[in-house]
């Protein structure tokens, strides 16, 4: 199949498929005229690539994982040194993802608290913690669209 058909079948853009090739993740066969042709198995390969990249794994780690998962090798490397190297690499990536998730969870919780306070009218002028603290304010109208207000 040609690159356009692989793109249609996998949902990956032609540009992304070319990127996967540049990164060594996908290896099309070239015709005499230079066209890329793909095998049926490349549909599954692209699905796995997209899944791993969406999990924020770097392309180098994806390439290592693909070699063990799809390229004729056992799902778990036979050689203890290869197994340890792959496990160490995956553990580092898992730790980084865990840190990102914890950071995002903290940001989520803070934003949810702020949103609840805004909706509950417990923050702003005249409420505890108001940095203006009783200072009379004058409304100033600016030209242009309102920003941050519900429409």
């Amino acid at each position: 199949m040609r690159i356009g058909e692989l793109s249609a079948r996998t949902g990956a853009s032609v540009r992304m498929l070319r990127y996967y090739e540049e990164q060594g993740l996908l290896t099309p066969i070239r015709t005499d005229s230079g066209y890329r042709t793909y095998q049926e198995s490349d549909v599954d390969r692209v699905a796995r690539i997209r899944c791993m990249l969406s999990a924020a794994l770097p392309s180098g780690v994806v390439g290592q994982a693909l070699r063990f998962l799809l390229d004729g090798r056992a799902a778990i490397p036979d050689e203890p040194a290869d197994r340890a190297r792959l496990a160490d690499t995956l553990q580092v990536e898992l730790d980084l993802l865990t840190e990102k998730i914890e950071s995002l969870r903290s940001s989520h919780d803070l934003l949810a608290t702020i949103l609840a306070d805004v909706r509950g009218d417990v923050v702003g002028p005249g409420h505890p913690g108001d940095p203006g603290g009783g200072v009379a304010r004058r409304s100033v109208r600016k030209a242009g669209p309102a920003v941050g207000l519900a429409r």
Side-chain angles (χ1 to χ4, degrees):
M1 83 185 81
R2 292 229 176 125
I3 196 167
E5 183 181 345
L6 183 63
S7 174
R9 290 185 60 189
T10 61
S13 68
V14 169
R15 184 175 180 195
M16 286 308 303
L17 294 172
R18 288 184 185 128
Y19 171 77
Y20 299 160
E21 181 183 357
E22 288 172 13
Q23 297 300 308
L25 304 175
L26 190 60
T27 309
I29 299 166
R30 294 286 185 150
T31 65
D32 291 339
S33 56
Y35 288 102
R36 295 171 176 89
T37 59
Y38 298 89
Q39 299 175 27
E40 186 65 30
S41 61
D42 288 328
V43 174
D44 179 54
R45 184 176 195 88
V46 170
R48 289 177 188 247
I49 291 168
R50 294 185 75 194
C51 179
M52 287 187 270
L53 291 176
S54 72
L57 292 175
S59 59
V61 173
V62 172
Q64 285 181 337
L66 289 173
R67 279 192 296 280
F68 292 115
L69 293 171
L70 299 176
D71 293 342
R73 305 246 337 239
I76 299 174
D78 294 330
E79 295 295 320
D82 289 341
R83 184 180 297 189
R85 225 179 355 266
L86 179 60
D88 289 346
T89 300
L90 293 174
Q91 185 64 55
V92 166
E93 294 304 322
L94 181 61
D95 293 345
L96 289 170
L97 280 174
T98 300
E99 287 176 19
K100 288 177 186 176
I101 289 167
E102 289 169 0
S103 176
L104 286 170
R105 193 170 287 132
S106 293
S107 295
H108 172 273
D109 293 347
L110 177 60
L111 183 57
T113 300
I114 292 168
L115 178 60
D117 289 349
V118 168
R119 284 187 173 151
D121 195 28
V122 296
V123 295
H127 294 284
D130 176 16
V135 174
R137 297 186 183 182
R138 192 175 63 148
S139 177
V140 177
R141 193 128 174 88
K142 295 183 179 179
V147 177
L149 299 176
R151 294 177 191 204

